[in-house]
mmCIF file with all atom_site columns, all heavy atoms in Angstrom:
data_model
loop_
_atom_site.group_PDB
_atom_site.id
_atom_site.type_symbol
_atom_site.label_atom_id
_atom_site.label_alt_id
_atom_site.label_comp_id
_atom_site.label_asym_id
_atom_site.label_entity_id
_atom_site.label_seq_id
_atom_site.pdbx_PDB_ins_code
_atom_site.Cartn_x
_atom_site.Cartn_y
_atom_site.Cartn_z
_atom_site.occupancy
_atom_site.B_iso_or_equiv
_atom_site.pdbx_formal_charge
_atom_site.auth_seq_id
_atom_site.auth_comp_id
_atom_site.auth_asym_id
_atom_site.auth_atom_id
_atom_site.pdbx_PDB_model_num
ATOM 1   N N   . VAL Q 1 1  ? 0.849   -1.200 0.000   1.00 98.00 ? 1  VAL Q N   1
ATOM 2   C CA  . VAL Q 1 1  ? 0.000   0.000  0.000   1.00 98.00 ? 1  VAL Q CA  1
ATOM 3   C C   . VAL Q 1 1  ? 0.882   1.246  0.000   1.00 98.00 ? 1  VAL Q C   1
ATOM 4   O O   . VAL Q 1 1  ? 0.639   2.190  -0.772  1.00 98.00 ? 1  VAL Q O   1
ATOM 5   C CB  . VAL Q 1 1  ? -0.979  -0.008 1.209   1.00 98.00 ? 1  VAL Q CB  1
ATOM 6   C CG1 . VAL Q 1 1  ? -1.630  1.352  1.396   1.00 98.00 ? 1  VAL Q CG1 1
ATOM 7   C CG2 . VAL Q 1 1  ? -2.032  -1.094 1.032   1.00 98.00 ? 1  VAL Q CG2 1
ATOM 8   N N   . ALA Q 1 2  ? 1.915   1.258  0.833   1.00 98.00 ? 2  ALA Q N   1
ATOM 9   C CA  . ALA Q 1 2  ? 2.813   2.421  0.899   1.00 98.00 ? 2  ALA Q CA  1
ATOM 10  C C   . ALA Q 1 2  ? 3.534   2.636  -0.429  1.00 98.00 ? 2  ALA Q C   1
ATOM 11  O O   . ALA Q 1 2  ? 3.646   3.771  -0.906  1.00 98.00 ? 2  ALA Q O   1
ATOM 12  C CB  . ALA Q 1 2  ? 3.827   2.239  2.028   1.00 98.00 ? 2  ALA Q CB  1
ATOM 13  N N   . ASP Q 1 3  ? 4.022   1.547  -1.052  1.00 97.00 ? 3  ASP Q N   1
ATOM 14  C CA  . ASP Q 1 3  ? 4.721   1.662  -2.334  1.00 97.00 ? 3  ASP Q CA  1
ATOM 15  C C   . ASP Q 1 3  ? 3.800   2.202  -3.420  1.00 97.00 ? 3  ASP Q C   1
ATOM 16  O O   . ASP Q 1 3  ? 4.203   3.017  -4.246  1.00 97.00 ? 3  ASP Q O   1
ATOM 17  C CB  . ASP Q 1 3  ? 5.289   0.310  -2.773  1.00 97.00 ? 3  ASP Q CB  1
ATOM 18  C CG  . ASP Q 1 3  ? 6.450   -0.151 -1.905  1.00 97.00 ? 3  ASP Q CG  1
ATOM 19  O OD1 . ASP Q 1 3  ? 6.976   0.649  -1.104  1.00 97.00 ? 3  ASP Q OD1 1
ATOM 20  O OD2 . ASP Q 1 3  ? 6.827   -1.339 -2.027  1.00 97.00 ? 3  ASP Q OD2 1
ATOM 21  N N   . THR Q 1 4  ? 2.561   1.748  -3.412  1.00 97.00 ? 4  THR Q N   1
ATOM 22  C CA  . THR Q 1 4  ? 1.600   2.204  -4.415  1.00 97.00 ? 4  THR Q CA  1
ATOM 23  C C   . THR Q 1 4  ? 1.191   3.651  -4.145  1.00 97.00 ? 4  THR Q C   1
ATOM 24  O O   . THR Q 1 4  ? 1.090   4.462  -5.072  1.00 97.00 ? 4  THR Q O   1
ATOM 25  C CB  . THR Q 1 4  ? 0.355   1.294  -4.433  1.00 97.00 ? 4  THR Q CB  1
ATOM 26  O OG1 . THR Q 1 4  ? 0.779   -0.056 -4.614  1.00 97.00 ? 4  THR Q OG1 1
ATOM 27  C CG2 . THR Q 1 4  ? -0.595  1.672  -5.547  1.00 97.00 ? 4  THR Q CG2 1
ATOM 28  N N   . THR Q 1 5  ? 0.995   3.982  -2.904  1.00 98.00 ? 5  THR Q N   1
ATOM 29  C CA  . THR Q 1 5  ? 0.590   5.331  -2.532  1.00 98.00 ? 5  THR Q CA  1
ATOM 30  C C   . THR Q 1 5  ? 1.689   6.353  -2.825  1.00 98.00 ? 5  THR Q C   1
ATOM 31  O O   . THR Q 1 5  ? 1.435   7.392  -3.440  1.00 98.00 ? 5  THR Q O   1
ATOM 32  C CB  . THR Q 1 5  ? 0.222   5.388  -1.034  1.00 98.00 ? 5  THR Q CB  1
ATOM 33  O OG1 . THR Q 1 5  ? -0.835  4.460  -0.787  1.00 98.00 ? 5  THR Q OG1 1
ATOM 34  C CG2 . THR Q 1 5  ? -0.223  6.781  -0.626  1.00 98.00 ? 5  THR Q CG2 1
ATOM 35  N N   . ASN Q 1 6  ? 2.905   6.033  -2.408  1.00 98.00 ? 6  ASN Q N   1
ATOM 36  C CA  . ASN Q 1 6  ? 4.008   6.998  -2.472  1.00 98.00 ? 6  ASN Q CA  1
ATOM 37  C C   . ASN Q 1 6  ? 4.945   6.816  -3.660  1.00 98.00 ? 6  ASN Q C   1
ATOM 38  O O   . ASN Q 1 6  ? 5.813   7.644  -3.891  1.00 98.00 ? 6  ASN Q O   1
ATOM 39  C CB  . ASN Q 1 6  ? 4.820   6.923  -1.177  1.00 98.00 ? 6  ASN Q CB  1
ATOM 40  C CG  . ASN Q 1 6  ? 3.953   7.160  0.032   1.00 98.00 ? 6  ASN Q CG  1
ATOM 41  O OD1 . ASN Q 1 6  ? 3.134   8.064  0.055   1.00 98.00 ? 6  ASN Q OD1 1
ATOM 42  N ND2 . ASN Q 1 6  ? 4.113   6.324  1.038   1.00 98.00 ? 6  ASN Q ND2 1
ATOM 43  N N   . GLY Q 1 7  ? 4.784   5.720  -4.379  1.00 96.00 ? 7  GLY Q N   1
ATOM 44  C CA  . GLY Q 1 7  ? 5.691   5.406  -5.476  1.00 96.00 ? 7  GLY Q CA  1
ATOM 45  C C   . GLY Q 1 7  ? 6.944   4.722  -4.951  1.00 96.00 ? 7  GLY Q C   1
ATOM 46  O O   . GLY Q 1 7  ? 7.262   4.808  -3.766  1.00 96.00 ? 7  GLY Q O   1
ATOM 47  N N   . LYS Q 1 8  ? 7.624   4.033  -5.842  1.00 93.00 ? 8  LYS Q N   1
ATOM 48  C CA  . LYS Q 1 8  ? 8.865   3.359  -5.457  1.00 93.00 ? 8  LYS Q CA  1
ATOM 49  C C   . LYS Q 1 8  ? 9.693   3.156  -6.713  1.00 93.00 ? 8  LYS Q C   1
ATOM 50  O O   . LYS Q 1 8  ? 9.197   2.628  -7.705  1.00 93.00 ? 8  LYS Q O   1
ATOM 51  C CB  . LYS Q 1 8  ? 8.592   2.019  -4.788  1.00 93.00 ? 8  LYS Q CB  1
ATOM 52  C CG  . LYS Q 1 8  ? 9.851   1.333  -4.308  1.00 93.00 ? 8  LYS Q CG  1
ATOM 53  C CD  . LYS Q 1 8  ? 9.561   0.075  -3.549  1.00 93.00 ? 8  LYS Q CD  1
ATOM 54  C CE  . LYS Q 1 8  ? 10.876  -0.536 -3.092  1.00 93.00 ? 8  LYS Q CE  1
ATOM 55  N NZ  . LYS Q 1 8  ? 10.661  -1.758 -2.342  1.00 93.00 ? 8  LYS Q NZ  1
ATOM 56  N N   . GLY Q 1 9  ? 10.931  3.571  -6.666  1.00 91.00 ? 9  GLY Q N   1
ATOM 57  C CA  . GLY Q 1 9  ? 11.775  3.455  -7.848  1.00 91.00 ? 9  GLY Q CA  1
ATOM 58  C C   . GLY Q 1 9  ? 11.154  4.216  -9.004  1.00 91.00 ? 9  GLY Q C   1
ATOM 59  O O   . GLY Q 1 9  ? 10.820  5.388  -8.876  1.00 91.00 ? 9  GLY Q O   1
ATOM 60  N N   . LYS Q 1 10 ? 10.951  3.528  -10.103 1.00 90.00 ? 10 LYS Q N   1
ATOM 61  C CA  . LYS Q 1 10 ? 10.368  4.168  -11.281 1.00 90.00 ? 10 LYS Q CA  1
ATOM 62  C C   . LYS Q 1 10 ? 8.835   4.178  -11.261 1.00 90.00 ? 10 LYS Q C   1
ATOM 63  O O   . LYS Q 1 10 ? 8.208   4.781  -12.121 1.00 90.00 ? 10 LYS Q O   1
ATOM 64  C CB  . LYS Q 1 10 ? 10.871  3.472  -12.548 1.00 90.00 ? 10 LYS Q CB  1
ATOM 65  C CG  . LYS Q 1 10 ? 12.371  3.662  -12.746 1.00 90.00 ? 10 LYS Q CG  1
ATOM 66  C CD  . LYS Q 1 10 ? 12.850  2.979  -13.995 1.00 90.00 ? 10 LYS Q CD  1
ATOM 67  C CE  . LYS Q 1 10 ? 14.359  3.144  -14.131 1.00 90.00 ? 10 LYS Q CE  1
ATOM 68  N NZ  . LYS Q 1 10 ? 14.894  2.486  -15.312 1.00 90.00 ? 10 LYS Q NZ  1
ATOM 69  N N   . MET Q 1 11 ? 8.251   3.499  -10.283 1.00 92.00 ? 11 MET Q N   1
ATOM 70  C CA  . MET Q 1 11 ? 6.791   3.470  -10.195 1.00 92.00 ? 11 MET Q CA  1
ATOM 71  C C   . MET Q 1 11 ? 6.295   4.796  -9.618  1.00 92.00 ? 11 MET Q C   1
ATOM 72  O O   . MET Q 1 11 ? 6.760   5.228  -8.567  1.00 92.00 ? 11 MET Q O   1
ATOM 73  C CB  . MET Q 1 11 ? 6.318   2.326  -9.308  1.00 92.00 ? 11 MET Q CB  1
ATOM 74  C CG  . MET Q 1 11 ? 4.805   2.184  -9.314  1.00 92.00 ? 11 MET Q CG  1
ATOM 75  S SD  . MET Q 1 11 ? 4.257   0.737  -8.429  1.00 92.00 ? 11 MET Q SD  1
ATOM 76  C CE  . MET Q 1 11 ? 3.772   1.492  -6.896  1.00 92.00 ? 11 MET Q CE  1
ATOM 77  N N   . PRO Q 1 12 ? 5.361   5.436  -10.313 1.00 95.00 ? 12 PRO Q N   1
ATOM 78  C CA  . PRO Q 1 12 ? 4.847   6.720  -9.820  1.00 95.00 ? 12 PRO Q CA  1
ATOM 79  C C   . PRO Q 1 12 ? 3.968   6.546  -8.584  1.00 95.00 ? 12 PRO Q C   1
ATOM 80  O O   . PRO Q 1 12 ? 3.439   5.460  -8.328  1.00 95.00 ? 12 PRO Q O   1
ATOM 81  C CB  . PRO Q 1 12 ? 4.019   7.244  -10.993 1.00 95.00 ? 12 PRO Q CB  1
ATOM 82  C CG  . PRO Q 1 12 ? 3.564   6.019  -11.700 1.00 95.00 ? 12 PRO Q CG  1
ATOM 83  C CD  . PRO Q 1 12 ? 4.701   5.028  -11.552 1.00 95.00 ? 12 PRO Q CD  1
ATOM 84  N N   . ALA Q 1 13 ? 3.820   7.602  -7.841  1.00 97.00 ? 13 ALA Q N   1
ATOM 85  C CA  . ALA Q 1 13 ? 2.916   7.622  -6.690  1.00 97.00 ? 13 ALA Q CA  1
ATOM 86  C C   . ALA Q 1 13 ? 1.477   7.710  -7.190  1.00 97.00 ? 13 ALA Q C   1
ATOM 87  O O   . ALA Q 1 13 ? 1.190   8.421  -8.146  1.00 97.00 ? 13 ALA Q O   1
ATOM 88  C CB  . ALA Q 1 13 ? 3.236   8.815  -5.799  1.00 97.00 ? 13 ALA Q CB  1
ATOM 89  N N   . TYR Q 1 14 ? 0.597   6.980  -6.546  1.00 97.00 ? 14 TYR Q N   1
ATOM 90  C CA  . TYR Q 1 14 ? -0.818  7.024  -6.908  1.00 97.00 ? 14 TYR Q CA  1
ATOM 91  C C   . TYR Q 1 14 ? -1.647  7.786  -5.880  1.00 97.00 ? 14 TYR Q C   1
ATOM 92  O O   . TYR Q 1 14 ? -2.870  7.817  -5.981  1.00 97.00 ? 14 TYR Q O   1
ATOM 93  C CB  . TYR Q 1 14 ? -1.361  5.609  -7.119  1.00 97.00 ? 14 TYR Q CB  1
ATOM 94  C CG  . TYR Q 1 14 ? -0.961  5.083  -8.474  1.00 97.00 ? 14 TYR Q CG  1
ATOM 95  C CD1 . TYR Q 1 14 ? 0.233   4.391  -8.652  1.00 97.00 ? 14 TYR Q CD1 1
ATOM 96  C CD2 . TYR Q 1 14 ? -1.738  5.333  -9.586  1.00 97.00 ? 14 TYR Q CD2 1
ATOM 97  C CE1 . TYR Q 1 14 ? 0.611   3.944  -9.904  1.00 97.00 ? 14 TYR Q CE1 1
ATOM 98  C CE2 . TYR Q 1 14 ? -1.363  4.892  -10.851 1.00 97.00 ? 14 TYR Q CE2 1
ATOM 99  C CZ  . TYR Q 1 14 ? -0.187  4.206  -10.987 1.00 97.00 ? 14 TYR Q CZ  1
ATOM 100 O OH  . TYR Q 1 14 ? 0.196   3.770  -12.240 1.00 97.00 ? 14 TYR Q OH  1
ATOM 101 N N   . LYS Q 1 15 ? -0.972  8.433  -4.930  1.00 97.00 ? 15 LYS Q N   1
ATOM 102 C CA  . LYS Q 1 15 ? -1.676  9.271  -3.958  1.00 97.00 ? 15 LYS Q CA  1
ATOM 103 C C   . LYS Q 1 15 ? -2.328  10.418 -4.724  1.00 97.00 ? 15 LYS Q C   1
ATOM 104 O O   . LYS Q 1 15 ? -1.686  11.096 -5.520  1.00 97.00 ? 15 LYS Q O   1
ATOM 105 C CB  . LYS Q 1 15 ? -0.699  9.820  -2.931  1.00 97.00 ? 15 LYS Q CB  1
ATOM 106 C CG  . LYS Q 1 15 ? -1.362  10.614 -1.832  1.00 97.00 ? 15 LYS Q CG  1
ATOM 107 C CD  . LYS Q 1 15 ? -0.356  11.028 -0.782  1.00 97.00 ? 15 LYS Q CD  1
ATOM 108 C CE  . LYS Q 1 15 ? -1.080  11.634 0.394   1.00 97.00 ? 15 LYS Q CE  1
ATOM 109 N NZ  . LYS Q 1 15 ? -0.194  11.786 1.542   1.00 97.00 ? 15 LYS Q NZ  1
ATOM 110 N N   . GLY Q 1 16 ? -3.608  10.603 -4.500  1.00 96.00 ? 16 GLY Q N   1
ATOM 111 C CA  . GLY Q 1 16 ? -4.339  11.647 -5.212  1.00 96.00 ? 16 GLY Q CA  1
ATOM 112 C C   . GLY Q 1 16 ? -4.879  11.193 -6.565  1.00 96.00 ? 16 GLY Q C   1
ATOM 113 O O   . GLY Q 1 16 ? -5.727  11.843 -7.133  1.00 96.00 ? 16 GLY Q O   1
ATOM 114 N N   . LYS Q 1 17 ? -4.353  10.076 -7.085  1.00 96.00 ? 17 LYS Q N   1
ATOM 115 C CA  . LYS Q 1 17 ? -4.845  9.524  -8.356  1.00 96.00 ? 17 LYS Q CA  1
ATOM 116 C C   . LYS Q 1 17 ? -5.832  8.389  -8.100  1.00 96.00 ? 17 LYS Q C   1
ATOM 117 O O   . LYS Q 1 17 ? -6.736  8.152  -8.892  1.00 96.00 ? 17 LYS Q O   1
ATOM 118 C CB  . LYS Q 1 17 ? -3.682  9.009  -9.194  1.00 96.00 ? 17 LYS Q CB  1
ATOM 119 C CG  . LYS Q 1 17 ? -2.703  10.086 -9.606  1.00 96.00 ? 17 LYS Q CG  1
ATOM 120 C CD  . LYS Q 1 17 ? -1.525  9.500  -10.338 1.00 96.00 ? 17 LYS Q CD  1
ATOM 121 C CE  . LYS Q 1 17 ? -0.480  10.573 -10.604 1.00 96.00 ? 17 LYS Q CE  1
ATOM 122 N NZ  . LYS Q 1 17 ? 0.741   10.020 -11.171 1.00 96.00 ? 17 LYS Q NZ  1
ATOM 123 N N   . LEU Q 1 18 ? -5.582  7.658  -7.011  1.00 95.00 ? 18 LEU Q N   1
ATOM 124 C CA  . LEU Q 1 18 ? -6.471  6.580  -6.587  1.00 95.00 ? 18 LEU Q CA  1
ATOM 125 C C   . LEU Q 1 18 ? -6.837  6.825  -5.128  1.00 95.00 ? 18 LEU Q C   1
ATOM 126 O O   . LEU Q 1 18 ? -5.999  7.290  -4.352  1.00 95.00 ? 18 LEU Q O   1
ATOM 127 C CB  . LEU Q 1 18 ? -5.785  5.211  -6.697  1.00 95.00 ? 18 LEU Q CB  1
ATOM 128 C CG  . LEU Q 1 18 ? -5.435  4.698  -8.078  1.00 95.00 ? 18 LEU Q CG  1
ATOM 129 C CD1 . LEU Q 1 18 ? -4.660  3.385  -7.976  1.00 95.00 ? 18 LEU Q CD1 1
ATOM 130 C CD2 . LEU Q 1 18 ? -6.686  4.497  -8.928  1.00 95.00 ? 18 LEU Q CD2 1
ATOM 131 N N   . ALA Q 1 19 ? -8.060  6.495  -4.766  1.00 95.00 ? 19 ALA Q N   1
ATOM 132 C CA  . ALA Q 1 19 ? -8.485  6.589  -3.368  1.00 95.00 ? 19 ALA Q CA  1
ATOM 133 C C   . ALA Q 1 19 ? -7.774  5.508  -2.555  1.00 95.00 ? 19 ALA Q C   1
ATOM 134 O O   . ALA Q 1 19 ? -7.354  4.478  -3.103  1.00 95.00 ? 19 ALA Q O   1
ATOM 135 C CB  . ALA Q 1 19 ? -9.995  6.415  -3.266  1.00 95.00 ? 19 ALA Q CB  1
ATOM 136 N N   . ASP Q 1 20 ? -7.639  5.723  -1.263  1.00 96.00 ? 20 ASP Q N   1
ATOM 137 C CA  . ASP Q 1 20 ? -7.005  4.731  -0.395  1.00 96.00 ? 20 ASP Q CA  1
ATOM 138 C C   . ASP Q 1 20 ? -7.672  3.366  -0.534  1.00 96.00 ? 20 ASP Q C   1
ATOM 139 O O   . ASP Q 1 20 ? -6.998  2.343  -0.574  1.00 96.00 ? 20 ASP Q O   1
ATOM 140 C CB  . ASP Q 1 20 ? -7.045  5.179  1.068   1.00 96.00 ? 20 ASP Q CB  1
ATOM 141 C CG  . ASP Q 1 20 ? -6.163  6.386  1.344   1.00 96.00 ? 20 ASP Q CG  1
ATOM 142 O OD1 . ASP Q 1 20 ? -5.295  6.720  0.507   1.00 96.00 ? 20 ASP Q OD1 1
ATOM 143 O OD2 . ASP Q 1 20 ? -6.344  7.009  2.411   1.00 96.00 ? 20 ASP Q OD2 1
ATOM 144 N N   . ALA Q 1 21 ? -8.996  3.358  -0.623  1.00 96.00 ? 21 ALA Q N   1
ATOM 145 C CA  . ALA Q 1 21 ? -9.732  2.094  -0.761  1.00 96.00 ? 21 ALA Q CA  1
ATOM 146 C C   . ALA Q 1 21 ? -9.372  1.403  -2.075  1.00 96.00 ? 21 ALA Q C   1
ATOM 147 O O   . ALA Q 1 21 ? -9.230  0.180  -2.114  1.00 96.00 ? 21 ALA Q O   1
ATOM 148 C CB  . ALA Q 1 21 ? -11.238 2.338  -0.685  1.00 96.00 ? 21 ALA Q CB  1
ATOM 149 N N   . GLN Q 1 22 ? -9.206  2.161  -3.148  1.00 96.00 ? 22 GLN Q N   1
ATOM 150 C CA  . GLN Q 1 22 ? -8.823  1.572  -4.439  1.00 96.00 ? 22 GLN Q CA  1
ATOM 151 C C   . GLN Q 1 22 ? -7.437  0.946  -4.366  1.00 96.00 ? 22 GLN Q C   1
ATOM 152 O O   . GLN Q 1 22 ? -7.206  -0.125 -4.921  1.00 96.00 ? 22 GLN Q O   1
ATOM 153 C CB  . GLN Q 1 22 ? -8.833  2.628  -5.544  1.00 96.00 ? 22 GLN Q CB  1
ATOM 154 C CG  . GLN Q 1 22 ? -10.207 3.077  -5.956  1.00 96.00 ? 22 GLN Q CG  1
ATOM 155 C CD  . GLN Q 1 22 ? -10.126 4.178  -6.989  1.00 96.00 ? 22 GLN Q CD  1
ATOM 156 O OE1 . GLN Q 1 22 ? -9.601  5.255  -6.718  1.00 96.00 ? 22 GLN Q OE1 1
ATOM 157 N NE2 . GLN Q 1 22 ? -10.634 3.901  -8.179  1.00 96.00 ? 22 GLN Q NE2 1
ATOM 158 N N   . ILE Q 1 23 ? -6.522  1.608  -3.694  1.00 97.00 ? 23 ILE Q N   1
ATOM 159 C CA  . ILE Q 1 23 ? -5.172  1.067  -3.563  1.00 97.00 ? 23 ILE Q CA  1
ATOM 160 C C   . ILE Q 1 23 ? -5.211  -0.241 -2.785  1.00 97.00 ? 23 ILE Q C   1
ATOM 161 O O   . ILE Q 1 23 ? -4.580  -1.233 -3.183  1.00 97.00 ? 23 ILE Q O   1
ATOM 162 C CB  . ILE Q 1 23 ? -4.230  2.099  -2.899  1.00 97.00 ? 23 ILE Q CB  1
ATOM 163 C CG1 . ILE Q 1 23 ? -4.010  3.274  -3.861  1.00 97.00 ? 23 ILE Q CG1 1
ATOM 164 C CG2 . ILE Q 1 23 ? -2.902  1.454  -2.489  1.00 97.00 ? 23 ILE Q CG2 1
ATOM 165 C CD1 . ILE Q 1 23 ? -3.268  4.449  -3.273  1.00 97.00 ? 23 ILE Q CD1 1
ATOM 166 N N   . LYS Q 1 24 ? -5.973  -0.291 -1.716  1.00 97.00 ? 24 LYS Q N   1
ATOM 167 C CA  . LYS Q 1 24 ? -6.105  -1.528 -0.933  1.00 97.00 ? 24 LYS Q CA  1
ATOM 168 C C   . LYS Q 1 24 ? -6.747  -2.634 -1.764  1.00 97.00 ? 24 LYS Q C   1
ATOM 169 O O   . LYS Q 1 24 ? -6.369  -3.797 -1.656  1.00 97.00 ? 24 LYS Q O   1
ATOM 170 C CB  . LYS Q 1 24 ? -6.883  -1.276 0.350   1.00 97.00 ? 24 LYS Q CB  1
ATOM 171 C CG  . LYS Q 1 24 ? -6.082  -0.467 1.348   1.00 97.00 ? 24 LYS Q CG  1
ATOM 172 C CD  . LYS Q 1 24 ? -6.862  -0.213 2.614   1.00 97.00 ? 24 LYS Q CD  1
ATOM 173 C CE  . LYS Q 1 24 ? -6.030  0.617  3.571   1.00 97.00 ? 24 LYS Q CE  1
ATOM 174 N NZ  . LYS Q 1 24 ? -6.732  0.894  4.808   1.00 97.00 ? 24 LYS Q NZ  1
ATOM 175 N N   . GLU Q 1 25 ? -7.710  -2.277 -2.598  1.00 97.00 ? 25 GLU Q N   1
ATOM 176 C CA  . GLU Q 1 25 ? -8.358  -3.261 -3.468  1.00 97.00 ? 25 GLU Q CA  1
ATOM 177 C C   . GLU Q 1 25 ? -7.370  -3.813 -4.489  1.00 97.00 ? 25 GLU Q C   1
ATOM 178 O O   . GLU Q 1 25 ? -7.376  -5.012 -4.782  1.00 97.00 ? 25 GLU Q O   1
ATOM 179 C CB  . GLU Q 1 25 ? -9.558  -2.633 -4.183  1.00 97.00 ? 25 GLU Q CB  1
ATOM 180 C CG  . GLU Q 1 25 ? -10.714 -2.322 -3.256  1.00 97.00 ? 25 GLU Q CG  1
ATOM 181 C CD  . GLU Q 1 25 ? -11.783 -1.452 -3.898  1.00 97.00 ? 25 GLU Q CD  1
ATOM 182 O OE1 . GLU Q 1 25 ? -11.645 -1.059 -5.075  1.00 97.00 ? 25 GLU Q OE1 1
ATOM 183 O OE2 . GLU Q 1 25 ? -12.771 -1.152 -3.208  1.00 97.00 ? 25 GLU Q OE2 1
#
């Protein structure tokens, strides 16, 4: 969840692009 929310390496952050519930899903 943290990696998806904040990004990691070349993966962009999805904070503000996806809701917290979507990231958990």
Side-chain angles (χ1 to χ4, degrees):
V1 167
D3 290 348
T4 306
T5 301
N6 304 315
K8 183 175 181 180
K10 294 180 182 179
M11 186 173 100
Y14 281 89
K15 184 175 188 168
K17 297 176 186 173
L18 294 175
D20 292 345
Q22 288 177 297
I23 292 172
K24 289 180 181 180
E25 291 168 359

